[in-house]
């Protein structure tokens, strides 16, 4: 149907037609043996894979969907935390159901969660005999693996793709899966050829760039799940405490890892500043020096690709820092500082949280001696309303002892404790050095 | 025979005319046979008779159509005894009756304008002020520009200030024309230009003060104090040139305008203070090195002293247990 539509399109480019034709023929030639493999894996696995629905109690309709799978004989099922997050936060407004391959709907309880790795262990009321065994994640890059789930509520599907190892620039290593994971497949299993679970579908960056949670995190979470669930279920306040504990513990470990090693440095203008603190940080840079402009600049932005999903519109866990070196080519000091101030004025946009989740920022500022030179340092913090020991912070500084050049730096850390924020800021500020050679 | 003076007052309360009568009986109405003929269509052809009785004056309504109001009783009367200074309303017309002995206020002496106003009114001075201020505005535009722009572009950038000054001075000149019968546009314009220049300087001074003392509160205090005093003084100057209001009233009016503005801004600040803002509102002013007067803190001391940013009022609501 789709192909006919394409070809009958009036404005279809020739290149497009050729491209599609080439792709189709290649797929047809190479896919025969693999298709059989996928077919047999689907046949043996699909009774263990379910669709997860979050039902709004007020309307009785589903508000979000995902996938899940049974992985123990006792009936434990796994899915993503983000699939069931609403029901975890507001159990009085939502309930979770699984829909099995035979269409049977079964209400499920959330037994435990791991917000850091976006996992949840759930269990239905009726147990089933079939389950998917957890495998070992010792695959080599290029191995063909299979992901199952129910994309867009269209029906249970299996997707072939390539295992591409663990993501390098991430604190919470995920498996890079070159295959299409689409909304609704979250929480579904990724299987090796033996039909063992090696990962859990979690997210996609589009164009066959998808991510899986390595299966060992599920095994760790399973080990923590109590044998008998709380007969009253877990009320929202206790989940909140649990999430708070996980976040606090995680940022403690994270900041400890950050503070331990000697940091490598970057050069921006006359400044030597912290570079890629751990191998999980990636820095990008840009500079401009236009003929007609009376100034030039260099810009470096470092960040990790990690965010921890907490609820729709609320995520945390990332650290970003950026540098901006600005030098004048003929502006007088007052003009230069107007320009400099305009760049300083715009903070990193905070889009990770809303009014229910965080307070407004508190800020303070002062002149600080950094590496023997005068800087203006501002810093701001806002508290997480549901997790009061955690803060989002912003540390911004501007070198202010030269008439014609300056360095702006900004550090953004999300979901960090006060003590860790202060220690991180201390180390960060103390690491900044200046190359004296070019000083007057 | 006592003379009687009748003051005819316009409905808008300004004096229309005085008439002096020297007769035992004065007839007032719209008809042409009256002693005092009124054009007001709400007055009867024969409306009032004022008679001298027993050494005093008595007024009597003989028309009866729209009645007569005695101001001091503020009710309809048919007959009333008049004291000097009494006011009577017939139709839409007010009449005030005086005896020749009625005391009058002391003569208002003509006061020459303050030498400052005389000076800025002189064309040569006004032109000089205009020129100097235009140059200062141009310099301001130059200092805030970050591109290599021609002097013409800079000058045109300062036109906004000049237009604002002309509009403001024009408004006050018009008021002066109406009230004092004196336009004094040059003086008004000079005054406004001087205010704009002084205001621009105060804003800059406040920014530098806030930056140097690390406090947006210092900046706002400086700006409010400087602009408040300047604004009051210059507005009072505008009023002096354009109106007859006494100095005390001028100061009272002008300062209450500025206090009112501050009050409204404070109210707005407090009503929007707790609105959620996803981004930090930090004090981002940066000034060249010469503006730094306070010594640097060490990193450790800075982090200790600013740890208060992590203190939040503990008003997190406990969700109901479920």
């Amino acid at each position: 149907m789709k192909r006919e539509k394409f070809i009958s399109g009036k404005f279809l480019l020739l290149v497009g037609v050729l491209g599609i034709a080439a792709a189709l023929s290649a797929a047809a030639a190479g896919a025969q043996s693999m298709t059989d493999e996928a077919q047999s894996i689907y046949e043996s696995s699909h009774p263990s894979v379910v669709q997860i629905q979050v039902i709004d109690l007020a309307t009785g309709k589903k508000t979000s969907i995902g996938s899940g799978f049974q992985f123990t004989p006792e009936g434990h099922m796994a899915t993503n935390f983000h699939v069931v997050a609403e029901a975890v936060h507001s159990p009085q407004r939502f309930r979770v159901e699984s829909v099995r391959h035979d269409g049977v709907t079964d209400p499920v309880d959330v037994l435990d969660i791991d917000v850091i790795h976006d996992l949840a262990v759930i269990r239905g009321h009726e147990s089933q005999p079939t389950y998917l065994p957890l495998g070992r994640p010792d695959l080599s890059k290029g191995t063909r693996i299979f992901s199952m789930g129910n994309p867009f509520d269209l029906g249970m599907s299996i997707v072939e793709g390539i295992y591409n190892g663990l993501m390098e620039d991430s604190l919470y290593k995920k498996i890079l899966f070159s295959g299409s994971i689409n909304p609704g497949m979250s929480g579904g299993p990724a299987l090796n050829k033996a039909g063992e679970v090696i990962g859990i579908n979690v997210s996609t960056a589009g164009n066959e760039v998808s991510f899986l949670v390595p299966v060992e995190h599920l095994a760790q979470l399973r080990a923590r799940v109590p044998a008998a669930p709380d007969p009253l279920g877990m009320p929202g306040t206790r989940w909140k405490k649990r999430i708070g504990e996980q976040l606090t513990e995680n940022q403690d470990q994270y900041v400890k890892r950050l503070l331990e090693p000697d940091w490598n440095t970057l050069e921006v203008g006359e400044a030597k500043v912290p570079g890629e603190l751990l191998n999980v940080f990636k820095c990008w840079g840009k500079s401009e020096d236009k003929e007609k402009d009376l100034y030039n600049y260099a810009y470096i932005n470092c960040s990790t690709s990690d965010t921890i999903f907490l609820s729709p519109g609320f995520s945390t866990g990332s650290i970003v820092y950026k540098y901006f070196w600005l030098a004048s080519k003929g502006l007088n000091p007052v003009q230069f500082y107007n320009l400099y101030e305009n760049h300083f004025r715009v903070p990193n946009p905070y889009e990770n949280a809303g009014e229910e989740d965080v307070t407004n920022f508190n800020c303070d500022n002062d002149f600080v001696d950094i590496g023997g030179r005068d800087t203006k340092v501002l810093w701001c913090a806002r508290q997480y309303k549901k997790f009061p020991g955690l803060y989002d912070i912003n540390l911004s500084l501007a070198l202010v002892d030269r008439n014609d050049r300056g360095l702006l730096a900004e550090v953004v850390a999300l979901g960090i404790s006060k003590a860790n924020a202060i220690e991180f800021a201390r180390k960060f500020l103390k690491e900044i050095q200046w190359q004296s050679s070019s000083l007057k | 025979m006592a003379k009687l003076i009748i003051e005819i007052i316009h409905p808008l309360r300004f004096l229309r005319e005085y008439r002096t009568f020297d007769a035992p009986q004065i007839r007032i109405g719209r008809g042409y046979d009256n002693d005092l003929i009124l054009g007001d269509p709400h007055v009867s052809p024969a409306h009032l008779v004022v008679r001298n009785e027993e050494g005093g004056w008595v007024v009597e309504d003989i028309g009866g159509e729209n009645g007569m109001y005695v101001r001091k009783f503020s009710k309809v009367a048919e007959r009333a005894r008049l004291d000097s200074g009494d006011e009577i309303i017939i139709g839409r017309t007010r009449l005030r009756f005086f005896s020749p002995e009625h005391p009058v206020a002391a003569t208002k002496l003509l006061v020459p304008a303050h030498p400052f106003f005389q000076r800025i009114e002189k064309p040569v001075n006004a032109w000089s002020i205009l020129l100097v201020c235009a140059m200062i505005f141009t310099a301001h535009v130059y200092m805030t520009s970050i591109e290599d722009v021609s002097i013409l572009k800079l000058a045109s950038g300062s036109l906004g200030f000049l237009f604002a000054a002309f509009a403001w001075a024009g408004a006050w000149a018009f008021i002066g024309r109406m009230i004092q019968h004196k336009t004094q546009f040059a003086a008004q314009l000079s005054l406004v230009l001087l205010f704009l220049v002084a205001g621009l300087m105060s804003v800059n001074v406040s920014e530098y003060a806030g930056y140097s003392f690390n406090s947006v509160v210092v900046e706002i205090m400086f700006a409010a104090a400087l602009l408040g005093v300047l604004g009051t003084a210059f507005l009072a100057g505008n009023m002096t040139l354009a109106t007859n209001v006494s100095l005390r009233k001028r100061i009272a009016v002008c300062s209450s305008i500025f206090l009112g503005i501050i009050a409204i801004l404070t109210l707005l600040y407090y009503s929007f203070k707790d609105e959620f803002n996803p981004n930090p509102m930090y004090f981002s002013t940066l000034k060249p090195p010469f503006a730094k007067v306070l010594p640097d803190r060490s990193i450790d001391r800075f982090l200790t002293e600013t740890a208060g940013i992590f203190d939040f009022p503990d008003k997190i609501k406990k969700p109901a247990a479920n």
Side-chain angles (χ1 to χ4, degrees):
Chain A
M1 285 301 281
K2 221 166 204 169
R3 204 176 135 213
E4 279 168 20
K5 242 188 202 166
F6 255 117
I7 291 166
S8 62
K10 265 187 189 171
F11 305 106
L12 194 63
L13 292 171
L14 186 60
V15 180
V17 178
L18 290 175
I20 289 165
L24 285 171
S25 59
Q32 193 55 48
S33 61
M34 295 178 270
T35 313
D36 293 347
E37 209 167 31
Q39 194 178 32
S40 71
I41 286 173
Y42 182 84
E43 278 307 318
S44 60
S45 307
H46 86 276
S48 307
V49 184
V50 295
Q51 187 190 33
I52 305 290
Q53 300 186 338
V54 176
I55 309 289
D56 183 325
L57 294 179
T59 60
K61 295 290 173 200
K62 51 184 181 257
T63 61
S64 63
I65 54 162
S67 301
F69 60 94
Q70 185 174 336
F71 66 99
T72 66
E74 297 87 49
H76 292 103
M77 290 189 284
T79 186
N80 287 137
F81 167 69
H82 78 252
V83 171
V84 294
E86 280 173 305
V88 167
H89 291 298
S90 325
Q92 70 281 12
R93 287 180 49 215
F94 301 98
R95 98 184 116 84
V96 187
E97 284 179 354
S98 69
V99 183
R100 291 209 306 255
H101 68 289
D102 50 10
V104 173
T105 301
D106 187 19
V108 298
D109 295 323
V110 179
L111 300 183
D112 205 352
I113 55 174
D114 176 354
V115 286
I116 311 301
H117 299 102
D118 199 357
L119 289 175
V121 171
I122 58 181
R123 183 156 60 184
H125 294 177
E126 296 165 34
S127 80
Q128 260 196 127
T130 56
Y131 68 96
L132 299 174
L134 301 187
R136 291 168 56 85
D138 49 359
L139 299 173
S140 47
K141 253 192 196 188
T143 309
R144 183 158 294 275
I145 54 176
F146 305 88
S147 163
M148 287 182 73
N150 189 338
F152 299 106
D153 200 19
L154 295 171
M156 198 51 69
S157 310
I158 186 161
V159 175
E160 294 172 348
I162 306 288
Y163 172 88
N164 266 309
L166 294 174
M167 269 162 79
E168 274 148 25
D169 61 338
S170 173
L171 276 171
Y172 323 115
K173 299 261 183 272
K174 289 176 189 148
I175 296 168
L176 191 53
F177 172 65
S178 301
S180 288
I181 292 181
N182 281 302
M185 292 176 74
S186 286
L191 306 160
N192 60 17
K193 285 176 194 166
E196 294 167 336
V197 179
I198 52 104
I200 297 95
N201 303 338
V202 64
S203 59
T204 175
N207 282 341
E208 306 232 328
V209 181
S210 302
F211 305 104
L212 311 171
V213 181
V215 72
E216 64 258 34
H217 298 302
L218 178 61
Q220 285 158 10
L221 179 61
R222 164 70 187 93
R224 290 208 309 257
V225 171
D230 195 324
L232 300 171
M234 277 276 252
T237 46
R238 275 180 55 197
W239 282 125
K240 204 176 86 175
K241 192 159 162 267
R242 191 125 181 75
I243 297 171
E245 284 163 5
Q246 291 182 1
L247 292 175
T248 307
E249 193 194 328
N250 178 62
Q251 58 88 33
D252 274 338
Q253 289 173 358
Y254 179 8
V255 176
K256 203 170 153 221
R257 259 184 79 192
L258 273 179
L259 295 180
E260 255 169 16
D262 288 331
W263 289 351
N264 64 24
T265 53
L266 285 172
E267 286 178 14
V268 204
E270 289 165 11
K272 280 177 90 170
V273 293
E276 293 169 350
L277 308 183
L278 295 172
N279 56 2
V280 299
F281 284 90
K282 293 257 169 92
C283 295
W284 301 79
K286 183 182 186 241
S287 68
E288 206 147 277
D289 190 358
K290 284 187 194 153
E291 189 78 25
K292 69 173 184 60
D293 281 347
L294 294 177
Y295 56 90
N296 55 47
Y297 68 83
Y299 172 80
I300 292 177
N301 184 343
C302 304
S303 63
T304 66
S305 62
D306 296 304
T307 57
I308 299 170
F309 173 94
L310 291 178
S311 64
F314 186 22
S315 59
T316 183
S318 48
I319 290 184
V320 178
Y321 45 99
K322 32 193 165 183
Y323 308 103
F324 186 83
W325 176 263
L326 188 65
S328 155
K329 293 190 297 182
L331 293 170
N332 70 41
V334 176
Q335 290 175 320
F336 177 73
Y337 271 78
N338 277 324
L339 173 72
Y340 194 41
E341 180 184 276
N342 286 343
H343 286 286
F344 194 42
R345 182 165 288 153
V346 189
N348 178 72
Y350 285 77
E351 288 157 351
N352 64 313
E355 191 172 1
E356 320 86 81
D357 309 314
V358 288
T359 62
N360 273 347
F361 277 99
N362 267 349
C363 298
D364 204 347
N365 72 100
D366 211 331
F367 292 102
V368 179
D369 177 331
I370 291 180
R373 296 184 58 180
D374 301 335
T375 57
K376 183 92 164 182
V377 183
L378 313 171
W379 84 318
C380 305
R382 67 177 179 191
Q383 192 177 37
Y384 284 13
K385 288 180 176 170
K386 291 175 193 135
F387 316 111
L390 297 174
Y391 302 85
D392 285 347
I393 63 149
N394 181 297
L395 176 72
S396 292
L397 67 91
L399 181 69
V400 290
D401 65 354
R402 289 291 178 276
N403 280 324
D404 57 353
R405 60 219 126 116
L407 172 80
L408 304 178
E410 182 178 19
V411 182
V412 171
L414 306 182
I416 185 169
S417 72
K418 174 181 172 180
N420 284 331
I422 291 175
E423 286 322 303
F424 182 55
R426 193 188 313 276
K427 174 147 177 163
F428 196 93
L429 295 176
K430 287 190 173 172
E431 285 285 316
I432 297 175
Q433 304 291 328
W434 312 97
Q435 287 164 293
S436 50
S437 61
S438 47
L439 294 188
K440 279 173 199 164
Chain B
M1 187 57 57
K3 281 189 182 173
L4 180 69
I5 295 103
I6 303 181
E7 209 179 275
I8 305 167
I9 300 164
H10 190 267
L12 288 177
R13 304 308 302 260
F14 60 79
L15 191 71
R16 219 177 215 169
E17 61 175 307
Y18 288 105
R19 294 279 292 276
T20 307
F21 294 92
D22 196 359
Q25 176 175 308
I26 305 148
R27 287 150 42 78
I28 301 171
R30 200 154 42 83
Y32 298 114
D33 57 343
N34 288 297
D35 301 312
L36 176 58
I37 303 163
L38 297 173
D40 183 346
H42 306 285
V43 168
S44 305
H47 203 131
L48 291 186
V49 173
V50 187
R51 274 193 215 92
N52 195 333
E53 280 177 13
E54 300 151 19
W57 292 91
V58 170
V59 62
E60 194 181 333
D61 183 0
I62 54 167
E65 286 168 309
N66 281 329
M68 163 182 90
Y69 296 82
V70 182
R71 184 85 178 112
K72 63 183 176 186
F73 305 132
S74 67
K75 62 182 180 193
V76 182
E78 285 200 349
R79 200 183 143 81
R81 245 195 111 70
L82 287 176
D83 293 324
S84 179
D86 280 355
E87 196 173 307
I88 280 186
I89 303 167
I90 47 173
R92 293 268 162 88
T93 305
R94 287 156 188 271
L95 302 174
R96 217 183 287 164
F97 298 86
F98 292 103
S99 80
E101 289 81 34
H102 197 90
V104 292
T107 315
K108 243 188 192 168
L109 298 173
L110 282 170
V111 188
H114 189 277
F116 173 72
F117 294 122
Q118 293 177 359
R119 244 174 254 150
I120 59 172
E121 172 69 11
K122 277 190 193 146
V124 56
N125 290 339
W127 276 109
S128 314
I129 290 173
L130 179 66
L131 216 63
V132 169
C133 290
M135 280 159 65
I136 293 174
F137 296 144
T138 308
H140 170 77
V141 175
Y142 171 69
M143 282 302 192
T144 49
S145 77
I146 50 163
E147 281 168 46
D148 201 2
V149 283
S150 67
I151 185 76
L152 266 178
K153 268 192 185 166
L154 290 175
S156 60
S158 74
L159 283 180
F161 289 101
L162 294 182
F163 277 130
F166 271 86
W168 184 250
W172 278 107
F174 178 75
I175 295 170
R177 180 79 217 136
M178 298 304 291
I179 295 177
Q180 285 250 18
H181 308 292
K182 269 160 69 186
T183 312
Q184 302 185 94
F185 179 74
Q188 295 281 19
L189 183 66
S190 308
L191 212 53
V192 179
L193 287 169
L194 290 174
F195 169 65
L196 285 178
V197 166
L200 214 53
M201 284 174 177
S202 338
V203 169
N204 271 306
V205 166
S206 316
E207 280 180 10
Y208 277 91
Y211 170 75
S212 302
F213 294 101
N214 298 306
S215 165
V216 71
V217 180
V218 168
E219 178 174 338
I220 292 171
M221 288 301 191
F222 254 79
L226 288 173
L227 289 176
V229 169
L230 276 175
T232 305
F234 279 89
L235 203 57
N238 289 139
M239 285 181 80
T240 311
L241 285 169
T243 67
N244 298 317
V245 181
S246 73
L247 182 66
R248 260 178 65 185
K249 275 192 184 158
R250 282 196 307 262
I251 302 283
V253 167
C254 300
S255 52
S256 39
I257 287 176
F258 277 91
L259 290 177
I261 292 174
I262 290 172
I264 291 169
L265 292 178
T266 314
L267 183 75
L268 286 176
Y269 169 74
Y270 276 101
S271 38
F272 290 101
K273 187 170 71 86
D274 293 331
E275 291 275 295
F276 178 66
N277 184 344
N279 292 321
M281 294 292 289
Y282 58 58
F283 183 51
S284 58
T285 307
L286 291 179
K287 295 292 172 194
F290 69 79
K292 182 183 167 295
V293 286
L294 293 181
D296 284 338
R297 298 266 183 268
S298 71
I299 291 171
D300 295 323
R301 194 167 159 203
F302 170 77
L303 292 173
T304 315
E305 285 180 352
T306 56
I309 60 166
F310 291 96
D311 297 338
F312 287 84
D314 191 20
K315 56 179 181 190
I316 291 147
K317 277 181 248 151
K318 287 210 163 115
N322 53 318

